[in-house]
């Protein structure tokens, strides 16, 4: 639905929804081993949730099988005047005699490099999505800063392109706290951690077996830590939480990677004050 909406109105807000669903909800449904599946994506667990093996009458795994081959169709859109990059992933794209290579470490890193590998001098518009969560971005063309206007969530680069041109987009990725509208009683007074498109959670295995008594004060600084050998290679988020008034180390992992070590407790929305504890 989000993909079709984006093609109808050309607005990046639909792709923001698609990206969050893909990197979090879809990925969480599949174990890191690739052979066990969730049939729900809870935002909190007391330990009763566990991925199940494939069984004969299974709808979710087969839907995933249909989705994976379509990922390339989600990354770029041909427009009347050029091409639009919607999702950032390493690969190649080709249109109207133009071939380009995309190099990126997204979603862990915010750098995206587009190298024009084949093109006669050619006028077309290149649109680069600026994610809704992005607070600051920088664009360079052939090493020189390029001030591209942002329209409907896309930076618009219109020029004559040549073979060998290089576009660099740097999306600044910050560790941020997300809050809900106060009318959502179940998450009132709580925060969810996000870095780039990835939503994070805390697991009991990293916090003495329980997470329902953790408090993450608004003043606690949060840091991104690269852990290449942890959960297949992730960036975790650390900070100082409180438990019964005493400081404890909080370590959050990407939500998609939860319940790959044991069927323990998990929580996405973390209280910021003791009053918000369950």
């Amino acid at each position: 639905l989000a993909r079709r909406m984006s093609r109808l109105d050309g607005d990046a807000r639909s792709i923001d929804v698609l990206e969050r669903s893909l990197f979090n909800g879809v990925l969480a449904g599949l174990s890191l081993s690739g052979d066990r599946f969730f049939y729900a994506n809870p935002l909190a667990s007391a330990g009763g949730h566990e991925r199940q093996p494939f069984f004969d009458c299974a709808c979710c795994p087969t839907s995933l099988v249909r989705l994976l081959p379509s990922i390339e169709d989600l990354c770029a859109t041909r427009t009347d005047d050029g091409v639009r990059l919607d999702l950032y992933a390493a690969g190649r794209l080709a249109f109207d005699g133009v071939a380009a290579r995309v190099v990126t470490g997204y979603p862990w890193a915010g750098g995206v490099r587009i190298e024009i590998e084949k093109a006669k001098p050619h006028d077309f518009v290149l649109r680069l999505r600026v994610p809704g969560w992005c607070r600051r971005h920088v664009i360079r063309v052939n090493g020189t800063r390029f001030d591209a206007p942002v329209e409907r969530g896309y930076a618009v680069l219109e020029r004559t392109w040549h073979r060998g041109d290089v576009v660099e987009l740097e999306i600044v990725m910050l560790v941020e706290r997300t809050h809900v509208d106060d009318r959502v009683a179940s998450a009132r007074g709580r925060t969810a951690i996000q870095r780039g498109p990835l939503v994070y959670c805390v697991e009991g295995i990293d916090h003495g077996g329980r997470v329902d008594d953790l408090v993450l004060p608004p003043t606690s600084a949060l840091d991104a830590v690269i852990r290449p050998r942890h959960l297949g290679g992730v960036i975790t988020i650390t900070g100082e939480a409180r438990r019964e008034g005493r400081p404890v180390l909080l370590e959050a992992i990407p939500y998609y990677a939860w319940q790959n070590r044991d069927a323990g407790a998990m929580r996405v929305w973390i209280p910021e004050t003791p009053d918000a504890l369950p």
Side-chain angles (χ1 to χ4, degrees), residues 207-256:
H207 302 90
R210 63 190 195 278
V211 295
D212 59 354
D213 57 354
L214 289 175
V215 174
L216 183 60
T219 54
S220 291
L222 297 172
D223 299 308
V225 180
I226 300 173
R227 300 192 60 184
R229 293 182 176 83
H230 188 50
L231 294 167
V234 296
I235 290 178
T236 63
I237 307 299
T238 62
E240 185 179 287
R242 311 289 292 184
R243 171 177 277 155
E244 297 177 353
R246 295 188 295 272
V248 296
L249 176 67
L250 177 140
E251 182 173 45
I253 66 168
Y255 173 74
Y256 78 78

Side-chain angles (χ1 to χ4, degrees), residues 43-48 190-191 200-216 241-244 248-253 258 261-273 276-278:
L43 300 183
S45 173
R190 302 183 182 188
T191 186
Y200 281 71
C201 68
V202 289
E203 280 197 289
I205 192 172
D206 299 315
H207 302 90
R210 63 190 195 278
V211 295
D212 59 354
D213 57 354
L214 289 175
V215 174
L216 183 60
R242 311 289 292 184
R243 171 177 277 155
E244 297 177 353
V248 296
L249 176 67
L250 177 140
E251 182 173 45
I253 66 168
W258 83 279
R261 293 172 288 176
D262 70 356
M266 180 277 297
R267 184 172 294 277
V268 170
W269 292 101
I270 308 168
E272 290 190 303
T273 66
L277 285 168

Side-chain angles (χ1 to χ4, degrees), residues 1 18 35 46 57 62 65 81 89 96 112 121 130 138 147 155 157 160 167 170 173 175 180 185 206 225 236 246 274:
L1 173 62
L18 188 156
D35 59 357
C57 183
T62 50
V65 169
D81 55 4
D96 290 352
V112 182
V130 179
V138 177
D147 293 323
L157 289 75
T160 301
V167 179
E170 184 63 36
M173 286 193 173
V175 180
V180 301
D206 299 315
V225 180
T236 63
R246 295 188 295 272

Side-chain angles (χ1 to χ4, degrees), residues 10-12 126-132 134-139 146-157 169:
D11 197 303
L126 174 64
R127 290 178 171 85
L128 304 177
R129 174 172 155 263
V130 179
C134 175
R135 301 291 177 261
R136 183 167 64 88
H137 72 280
V138 177
I139 296 174
F146 191 99
D147 293 323
V150 177
E151 300 175 0
R152 302 176 74 82
Y154 291 90
V156 182
L157 289 75
L169 168 65

Side-chain angles (χ1 to χ4, degrees), residues 3 6-8 10 72-86 93-98 122-127:
R3 178 58 168 156
S6 75
R7 286 182 168 175
L8 284 172
E72 65 175 3
D73 187 50
L74 304 179
C75 293
T77 301
R78 184 71 176 89
T79 63
D80 292 339
D81 55 4
V83 67
R84 190 177 77 202
L85 293 190
D86 299 312
L93 58 92
F95 62 97
D96 290 352
V98 178
H122 188 33
D123 292 332
F124 66 86
V125 179
L126 174 64
R127 290 178 171 85

Side-chain angles (χ1 to χ4, degrees), residues 45-60:
S45 173
H49 295 84
E50 188 172 2
R51 291 183 180 85
Q52 303 298 314
F54 187 89
F55 52 90
D56 289 343
C57 183
C59 59
C60 294

